[in-house]
């Protein structure tokens, strides 16, 4: 009998700026059902990577398990979180969830690449819940420098993970929704 486990695998973005791509999985070892959070890019340094336009996470591990991917969630519309979506989605071909502003940016990218715009589903912030295999995911408003930036509440049978995305603790930002400390205490 296989024991279920919760995994977290950063393919990019952890310990660096840009190229955000994270994988959460739940289930028996090597059979986990997966969700992907963000598909971003980073921009090269002219001194170290001349002639390179964009750098993306290596998704070979995900491609080998694409039949286990339940969904892709995009936290916000900055390029380091959504910039690789048009490039990498054909390799993963999973449903995408994002809030309205982010989904609009994603659909523009899909239009540029000739991908079906209906692969991106617009969702509302909490309390809406998206069920993706063993996961229940909610978008939660998070203050940042772009509209509708979100953290994610990722509930699984193993417990709750709060994936912050990018944030600032600003209750009255110039752009987007403010930080709500009471909401995060509840979460």
């Amino acid at each position: 009998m296989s024991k279920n486990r919760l995994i977290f695998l950063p393919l990019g973005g952890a310990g660096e700026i840009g190229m955000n791509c994270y994988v959460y999985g739940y289930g028996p070892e090597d059979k986990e059902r997966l969700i992907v959070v963000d598909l971003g890019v980073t921009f090269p340094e002219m001194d170290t990577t001349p002639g390179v336009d964009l750098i993306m996470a290596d998704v070979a591990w995900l491609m080998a398990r694409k039949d286990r991917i339940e969904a892709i969630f995009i936290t916000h519309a900055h390029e380091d979180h959504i910039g690789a979506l048009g490039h990498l989605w054909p390799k993963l071909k999973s449903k995408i969830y994002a809030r309205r502003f982010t989904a609009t940016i994603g659909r523009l990218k899909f239009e540029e690449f000739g991908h079906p715009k209906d692969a991106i589903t617009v969702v509302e912030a909490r309390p809406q819940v998206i069920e993706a295999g063993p996961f229940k995911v909610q978008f939660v408003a998070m203050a940042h420098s772009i509209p509708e930036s979100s953290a994610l509440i990722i509930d699984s049978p193993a417990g709750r993970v709060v994936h912050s995305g990018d944030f600032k603790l600003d209750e009255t930002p110039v752009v987007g929704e403010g930080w709500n400390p009471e909401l995060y205490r509840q979460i």
Side-chain angles (χ1 to χ4, degrees), residues 46-95:
M46 288 307 297
D47 296 337
T48 57
T49 50
V52 174
D53 293 326
L54 296 173
I55 301 170
M56 296 168 243
D58 178 355
V59 295
W61 187 89
L62 274 173
M63 288 170 51
R65 295 157 179 82
K66 75 181 197 174
D67 62 320
R68 294 171 27 202
I69 300 172
E70 298 287 347
I72 299 167
F73 296 88
I74 306 295
T75 60
H76 66 283
H78 279 151
E79 286 297 296
D80 62 326
H81 292 260
I82 197 173
L85 188 62
H87 299 279
L88 297 179
W89 181 82
K91 297 177 180 185
L92 306 176
K93 294 240 175 144
S94 189
K95 192 164 192 164

Side-chain angles (χ1 to χ4, degrees), residues 74 76-86 96 98-113 117 120 122 146-148:
I74 306 295
H76 66 283
H78 279 151
E79 286 297 296
D80 62 326
H81 292 260
I82 197 173
L85 188 62
I96 302 158
R99 292 182 65 201
R100 185 165 314 282
F101 182 81
T102 304
T104 300
I105 300 300
R107 287 176 175 154
L108 290 170
K109 291 180 178 303
F110 268 36
E111 187 175 306
E112 178 183 340
F113 282 87
K117 293 187 281 183
I120 302 173
V122 173
I146 194 166
E148 296 184 341

Side-chain angles (χ1 to χ4, degrees), residues 142-143 167-172 179:
M142 178 62 76
F167 68 93
K168 56 185 181 173
L169 304 179
D170 185 346
E171 293 182 34
T172 57
W179 162 255

Side-chain angles (χ1 to χ4, degrees), residues 10-20 22 42 55 57 80:
L11 296 178
E16 62 190 333
I17 296 179
M19 203 171 62
N20 290 282
Y22 308 95
T42 193
I55 301 170
D80 62 326

Side-chain angles (χ1 to χ4, degrees), residues 3-48:
K3 184 176 180 182
N4 291 330
R5 65 185 190 155
L6 177 67
I7 63 168
F8 170 67
L9 175 63
L11 296 178
E16 62 190 333
I17 296 179
M19 203 171 62
N20 290 282
C21 181
Y22 308 95
V23 180
Y24 291 90
Y26 181 80
E29 186 171 350
D30 294 324
K31 294 181 181 171
E32 298 90 356
R33 301 305 300 170
L34 308 170
I35 59 172
V36 179
V37 176
D38 292 336
L39 286 171
V41 298
T42 193
F43 299 97
E45 296 290 327
M46 288 307 297
D47 296 337
T48 57

